[in-house]
Amino acid sequence: MAAAAAKKCLSPLALLTRRLSAPDFITQSNYHQKVVDHYENPRNVGSLDKSSKNVGTGLVGAPACGDVMKLQIKVDDQGKIIDAKFKTFGCGSAIASSSLATEWVKGKTLDEALEIKNTDIAKELSLPPVKLHCSMLAEDAIKAALADYRLKQHDGQQEAVRASN
Amino acid sequence: MFSVPSLRIACLNRAGLNPPRLLRNRLPVPNAPTGNSSCVSTCCHKKKGTWHGNINFRGLGKERGLFYCNNAVFSLRSCSTTEVKLNCWKCKQLLVETPPFFCNSCQTIQPPEERTSYFKIMDCDYTFTLDTQKLQTRYLQLQRSLHPDNFSQKSVKELEYSESQSALVNKAYKTLLKPLSRGLYMLELEGMHLDEGTDSEADPDFLLELMEINEALAEAQTPEEANRIGQDTKGKLADLIVQIDAALHKGELHAARTLLTKMKYYANIEEKVKEKLSEFM
């Protein structure tokens, strides 16, 4: 009888009707809520001007699931990220991860943004183990955007040096 | 220390490619051997201190080195390259077919042999190009004889075996039917997988192109637009299939993996096209 009850607990439909008392049930329903929230109320979806010197673009892909993710940051002269936009084509967890990433980088300096770890994203969204790679993808997208920005800045500086010579 | 009453033992010897199989415990009937297998093995090591006596080694007939193993649990770290020979669990006769679905002598259904390649099961050549018509015919032929509905009046054991066999055939068919899953399975057989995480070798221009296609599809206002993208993608997929076939034929696994990754992205787009078109209806 206990085994049958346990089996029922694992069924998602049962989750809706049963009283959620055990902690892991609460985690499961939270995961749904947070990820679904990002999916239904997307924040920061869109594009920034790729050619602008203040914009860094990170474009990453995940072969196993075929997801593609673009994350862009706009940086002011003080080195602070003032805007971020994303576009992700993939599963709900990937979309939520990148959406959360754009929320988190806003207001951070470049070095602070570099500190964002996929484990933080996964924890915040309560991602199940099978979706951890989505948070990894988001972290890589942030890093790619930062790297792209730095490269542009570096190139810009080199050009300025050449021009002054 | 194990002391399991009855077990079926099979030794897997395939040039060390396949890891050892742990013995399966069938319906335990004390002191009644449920199945025997004759193993031709040149070396056989026991798992570290985990098996219990009760092994009968006796030479069988004319073949040298054959032995029956009864009533013992051990995993064989086999390093020989000779073939596995299995016996029917019911009449003990040697099974000759590969793969042996039924016993030649008593016609009883056999349990599926683990790690049999899907290509062997579906009687297809181990190549990327596959005759899907032939595959389908074979699938129907197999299910006609293996489906559990045919075993409702037979013993519980036979019904169970038919369920496993039928499920395995379903899996094999599904995997081999589509080029993408077929190619990925072939890579898997050679020990290669797609990257779980981010694609470190991805071509940025390619990712950009993917982004643009995805965006165009998302913004498509008419079914014609969506269809156009669909046709485009189909063309790219057809191209990739030719390239993958060439790469696998030459044994260029890394190239094949890169191409299959590209295929995965395009296959996703194809799926989204279908979804988009259904939205328009």
Side-chain angles (χ1 to χ4, degrees), chain B residues 160-173:
Chain B
E160 270 177 25
Y161 287 170
S162 102
E163 281 170 4
S164 328
Q165 289 279 23
S166 185
L168 185 59
V169 167
N170 274 340
K171 200 162 171 208
Y173 174 65

Side-chain angles (χ1 to χ4, degrees), chain B residues 37-196:
Chain B
S37 62
S38 51
C39 320
V40 183
S41 167
T42 52
C43 49
C44 154
H45 311 285
K46 62 177 183 190
K47 210 161 132 185
K48 282 193 218 166
T50 53
W51 57 280
H52 183 57
N54 274 14
I55 295 191
N56 288 332
F57 290 117
R58 25 180 224 275
L60 214 229
K62 296 155 201 158
E63 290 178 69
R64 269 211 286 150
L66 275 180
F67 56 91
Y68 279 122
C69 319
N70 291 329
N71 300 334
V73 184
F74 58 95
S75 68
L76 296 175
R77 300 223 166 259
S78 158
C79 47
S80 95
T81 55
T82 47
E83 266 204 9
V84 180
K85 285 188 169 31
L86 296 165
N87 287 55
C88 172
W89 59 273
K90 201 163 184 201
C91 69
K92 320 293 179 237
Q93 293 300 308
L94 208 66
L95 299 168
V96 283
E97 312 259 321
T98 39
F101 293 113
F102 295 93
C103 171
N104 287 65
S105 317
C106 66
Q107 316 307 324
T108 319
I109 190 166
Q110 303 298 310
E113 193 193 356
E114 284 164 52
R115 306 204 190 278
T116 312
S117 119
Y118 296 162
F119 288 94
K120 263 237 164 79
I121 294 173
M122 304 308 285
D123 190 29
C124 290
D125 294 327
Y126 182 42
T127 55
F128 186 62
T129 35
L130 195 122
D131 183 358
T132 44
Q133 272 291 49
K134 187 176 164 225
L135 179 75
Q136 194 164 27
T137 312
R138 169 79 171 161
Y139 171 66
L140 293 172
Q141 174 209 3
L142 283 175
Q143 289 293 21
R144 231 171 267 135
S145 55
L146 292 172
H147 198 274
D149 285 352
N150 303 337
F151 293 83
S152 51
Q153 301 301 315
K154 305 244 165 129
S155 69
V156 172
K157 194 166 185 161
E158 285 173 90
L159 184 62
E160 270 177 25
Y161 287 170
S162 102
E163 281 170 4
S164 328
Q165 289 279 23
S166 185
L168 185 59
V169 167
N170 274 340
K171 200 162 171 208
Y173 174 65
K174 219 174 103 176
T175 307
L176 296 183
L177 188 63
K178 298 280 177 211
L180 180 60
S181 49
R182 194 188 315 143
L184 291 174
Y185 178 67
M186 286 176 79
L187 278 190
E188 216 180 282
L189 288 177
E190 305 294 330
M192 208 177 244
H193 302 271
L194 287 186
D195 283 324
E196 248 309 313

Side-chain angles (χ1 to χ4, degrees), chain A residues 1-60:
Chain A
M1 178 118 143
K7 269 197 185 161
K8 265 196 174 174
C9 294
L10 296 173
S11 145
L13 282 175
L15 275 177
L16 297 171
T17 50
R18 288 181 80 85
R19 199 153 34 100
L20 305 176
S21 49
D24 25 82
F25 292 160
I26 293 170
T27 316
Q28 273 191 317
S29 61
N30 269 359
Y31 148 65
H32 267 288
Q33 215 182 338
K34 283 194 179 169
V35 174
V36 169
D37 181 39
H38 277 276
Y39 188 83
E40 294 192 336
N41 308 306
R43 306 119 219 234
N44 309 317
V45 174
S47 293
L48 298 167
D49 180 11
K50 202 174 169 207
S51 52
S52 163
K53 270 191 282 261
N54 298 334
V55 171
T57 305
L59 195 49
V60 291

Side-chain angles (χ1 to χ4, degrees), chain A residues 61-66 87 89 140, chain B residues 197-199 211 214-215 261 265 268:
Chain A
C65 50
K87 266 200 191 166
F89 295 101
D140 289 341
Chain B
T198 320
D199 195 352
M211 264 282 151
N214 272 303
E215 283 170 356
T261 306
Y265 290 118
N268 277 12

Side-chain angles (χ1 to χ4, degrees), chain A residues 61-73:
Chain A
C65 50
D67 291 347
V68 255
M69 194 184 277
K70 179 175 78 170
L71 196 141
Q72 292 178 297
I73 50 170

Side-chain angles (χ1 to χ4, degrees), chain A residues 43-148:
Chain A
R43 306 119 219 234
N44 309 317
V45 174
S47 293
L48 298 167
D49 180 11
K50 202 174 169 207
S51 52
S52 163
K53 270 191 282 261
N54 298 334
V55 171
T57 305
L59 195 49
V60 291
C65 50
D67 291 347
V68 255
M69 194 184 277
K70 179 175 78 170
L71 196 141
Q72 292 178 297
I73 50 170
K74 188 186 247 171
V75 189
D76 68 10
D77 300 322
Q78 277 77 52
K80 203 164 91 159
I81 299 170
I82 48 173
D83 197 12
K85 290 263 183 272
F86 84 97
K87 266 200 191 166
T88 298
F89 295 101
C91 66
S93 299
I95 293 169
S97 299
S98 42
S99 174
L100 189 69
T102 54
E103 282 193 312
W104 277 1
V105 294
K106 275 193 189 173
K108 287 199 161 68
T109 64
L110 297 171
D111 289 326
E112 284 169 354
L114 213 56
E115 305 269 298
I116 296 175
K117 289 266 164 294
N118 69 310
T119 41
D120 301 326
I121 298 174
K123 195 167 165 195
E124 174 65 24
L125 296 171
S126 310
L127 295 182
V130 63
K131 290 293 181 183
L132 286 180
H133 67 276
C134 295
S135 60
M136 192 71 233
L137 198 65
E139 184 192 320
D140 289 341
I142 296 173
K143 292 201 158 60
L146 291 166
D148 181 56

